């Protein structure tokens, strides 16, 4: 991983918006039933908001701008790239996270269980 990539990931972590900081507080240190997550993890030309490398699950938090047509098109390209690299992508709206963080954590855990079951166990 290049120095520029490392600097960009550090900057993204340092300047994380509130929803990302809140979710990170729940995912860090294997709090998600033992699953390890990284934040702002580089995958190709992109940085996944949160990534579980073991399950190849990328969790993306989407703010208001992600509802705009141009951003939706860019998100679709990003999702296709990640899926082509073998990642499952779970998108969560910031508003959903802020309104119901426990429900969002359940969605993440359900995705992990689904991936584990598809892989024949962990």
């Amino acid at each position: 991983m290049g120095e520029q990539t490392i600097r960009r990931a550090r900057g993204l972590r340092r300047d994380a918006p509130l929803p990302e900081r809140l979710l990170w507080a729940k995912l860090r240190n294997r709090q998600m039933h033992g699953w390890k997550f990284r934040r702002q993890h580089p995958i190709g030309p992109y940085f996944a908001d949160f990534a579980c490398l073991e399950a190849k699950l990328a969790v993306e938090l989407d703010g208001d701008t992600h509802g705009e047509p141009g951003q939706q098109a860019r998100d679709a390209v990003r999702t296709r790239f990640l899926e082509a690299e073998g990642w499952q992508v779970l998108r969560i709206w910031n508003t959903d996270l802020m309104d119901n963080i426990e429900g969002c954590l359940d969605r993440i855990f359900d995705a992990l269980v689904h991936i584990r079951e598809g892989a024949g166990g962990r």
Side-chain angles (χ1 to χ4, degrees), residues 20-28 37-39 50:
E20 285 185 24
R21 292 193 316 265
L22 292 174
L23 184 55
W24 180 239
K26 300 290 188 176
L27 294 178
R28 65 186 306 211
F37 279 85
R38 296 178 182 207
R39 60 186 176 138
F50 301 95

Side-chain angles (χ1 to χ4, degrees), residues 31-77:
Q31 293 180 79
M32 176 60 67
H33 303 277
W35 293 92
K36 180 175 176 55
F37 279 85
R38 296 178 182 207
R39 60 186 176 138
Q40 298 304 330
H41 180 72
I43 304 171
Y46 302 106
F47 290 83
D49 291 337
F50 301 95
C52 177
L53 277 56
E54 182 181 359
K56 289 194 90 169
L57 174 67
V59 179
E60 296 288 318
L61 291 184
D62 293 339
D64 294 342
T65 60
H66 291 266
E68 298 172 4
Q71 185 61 51
Q72 286 180 338
R74 288 186 291 279
D75 287 345
V77 168

Side-chain angles (χ1 to χ4, degrees), residues 7 14 29 42 46 48 61 63 83 90-91 95-96 98 101-102 108 111 114 122:
R7 278 196 310 272
R14 183 187 61 241
N29 298 325
Y46 302 106
L61 291 184
E83 289 173 344
L90 177 61
R91 291 191 168 277
T95 53
D96 291 343
M98 299 302 288
I101 193 167
E102 292 303 321
I108 295 168
H114 179 75
R122 188 166 139 195

